[in-house]
Amino acid sequence: ALKAEQWQYIGCSEYERNVSRTDYRNGYWKRWIILKEGRLEIKMPRLRFKGFKSQIIPRYKQRSSEIDEVLKRIFLYGASTRLTGQALRPLIGDSFSAQTISNIARSLDEEVRGFHRRPIEDRYLYLFLDAVVLKERTAIGGKKRFVLTAYGITIQGKREIIDFRAVNSESQNKWIGFLQDLENRGLKGDILSLIVTDGNPGLEGAVDFVYPLVKRQRCWAHKLRNVANYLRKKDLEECINGARKIYSASSRSEAIKEWTVWAMRWRSLYPKAVRCIEKDLEELLNFYYTPKELWVKLRTTNVIERAFREVRRRTRPMSCFNNTASIERIVYAVISHLNEQWRIKPLDEFTQKSSLLPK
């Protein structure tokens, strides 16, 4: 194949004389390429003049695309760049440098850009919004980066991380930019029944601005952490367990009764703790307006935290990321894998309970 490519470029075959030829053969030179079967030595045809570039084996190509894809997957499954470089040595007899693995992983950048630009169908019944904190290495030390995340459940019960963005703060402007981008790409919120948030002021303001008519559910997990900040250690367990009875009640009216009992018990001792729940009680109980089978999932933003456990497992070998692009690369790889799993496995509550589906 290489010879045929050379003949076509020159304009005449081997031992043929032709006045219209464009170049002359000049022997061979050796190069190597790594295939899945191992390292292959190739005799590359050489020409007298410069300018010929082989399309069969491009210049500087050292590995087949299958090898690059395997190395990328090993890296994304959790191995460090150094360990990934050693992983294929028993099979092909060669190892790769950590820099080579980093260069291969950068091929994900175009996929990440495509993910952030793709159109979004307006098919989500429930929307969860939260930010997960990762660290990035900078010239003045490690800095926090906030991964703003939107997680949705469709009317068919399919879960999906709709999009994410790594930004330098969790301000209202950052959240507005993120949500407006989702809206412009198709997430109008026409069928949204509930938006679950953690109570961050910037996020609350952004949701009010972009989706002002959709009911809000405050995350109970975040709320109880806030309540715990006002409690003495000796009363912590009793007080928090009492507060849990509010969202564990069998109905909204029963939850209000549990709230009344809990507030009377602790108001004199911890007025700030009681006020912490009281001021957001309406939004804390909005999940009771949804089907009972979904209450456990809709009263917190824990679904996002659970999804990011794999991201944290993957990033644990690293003290911090080199830049924002590397953060988005890893997050995209993990959530793509999760979305693919969820695509073929909708929530059991939707598949087994026809009452949860829209009429």
Side-chain angles (χ1 to χ4, degrees), residues 85-294:
Q86 300 292 327
L88 296 185
R89 180 186 283 276
L91 295 178
I92 63 176
D94 265 290
S95 60
F96 306 90
S97 69
Q99 185 60 52
T100 297
I101 304 304
S102 294
N103 293 338
I104 291 172
R106 288 195 188 99
S107 64
L108 282 169
D109 290 349
E110 189 58 38
E111 293 182 43
V112 174
R113 284 190 286 271
F115 183 77
H116 288 325
R117 295 170 183 169
R118 79 195 194 288
I120 299 173
E121 292 184 46
D122 193 18
R123 57 197 179 105
Y124 300 97
L125 199 57
Y126 305 111
L127 181 65
F128 299 78
L129 301 171
D130 201 359
V132 180
V133 180
L134 298 175
K135 279 190 176 182
E136 178 184 330
R137 185 180 294 111
T138 69
I140 56 174
K143 291 291 183 181
K144 289 182 179 180
R145 289 294 179 262
F146 299 84
V147 183
L148 311 184
T149 307
Y151 175 115
I153 299 178
T154 70
I155 56 176
Q156 290 83 24
K158 292 185 178 179
R159 296 165 287 172
E160 181 184 357
I161 295 182
I162 305 167
D163 206 354
F164 68 94
R165 293 282 181 169
V167 295
N168 58 9
S169 74
E170 207 179 346
S171 67
Q172 181 170 323
N173 286 339
K174 296 293 185 184
W175 273 113
I176 287 177
F178 178 62
L179 295 181
Q180 282 186 328
D181 180 61
L182 297 181
E183 185 186 36
N184 293 337
R185 287 157 55 198
L187 186 54
K188 304 299 182 183
D190 291 340
I191 64 170
L192 267 179
S193 175
L194 198 67
I195 296 179
V196 187
T197 63
D198 63 356
N200 174 275
L203 173 55
E204 293 301 311
V207 173
D208 283 339
F209 184 81
V210 182
Y211 300 112
L213 301 180
V214 183
K215 277 186 180 177
R216 198 85 41 80
Q217 170 63 42
R218 285 293 185 90
C219 172
W220 270 99
H222 285 85
K223 180 58 70 174
L224 292 185
R225 287 178 207 146
N226 294 338
V227 170
N229 292 331
Y230 299 112
L231 306 176
R232 289 192 290 268
K233 187 174 181 180
K234 66 175 185 176
D235 295 322
L236 180 63
E237 185 176 356
E238 182 185 354
C239 186
I240 295 299
N241 285 341
R244 289 192 180 111
K245 293 180 181 179
I246 302 171
Y247 64 73
S248 301
S250 59
S251 66
R252 191 174 185 278
S253 58
E254 288 297 318
I256 293 174
K257 291 178 183 178
E258 292 291 348
W259 146 254
T260 304
V261 171
W262 181 83
M264 290 178 62
R265 167 70 177 85
W266 298 104
R267 192 182 297 276
S268 60
L269 287 174
Y270 302 108
K272 289 184 179 180
V274 174
R275 176 61 185 157
C276 184
I277 290 181
E278 185 176 37
K279 64 186 179 67
D280 297 316
L281 185 62
E282 186 69 25
E283 291 186 352
L284 285 165
L285 300 181
N286 274 339
F287 74 93
Y288 279 109
Y289 293 114
T290 66
K292 189 172 184 177
E293 292 82 0
L294 299 176

Side-chain angles (χ1 to χ4, degrees), residues 343-359:
R343 190 170 292 118
I344 59 177
K345 189 180 179 183
L347 290 169
D348 292 339
E349 291 85 353
F350 279 78
T351 57
Q352 297 174 11
K353 303 284 186 181
S354 59
S355 62
L356 302 181
L357 298 175
K359 303 298 182 186

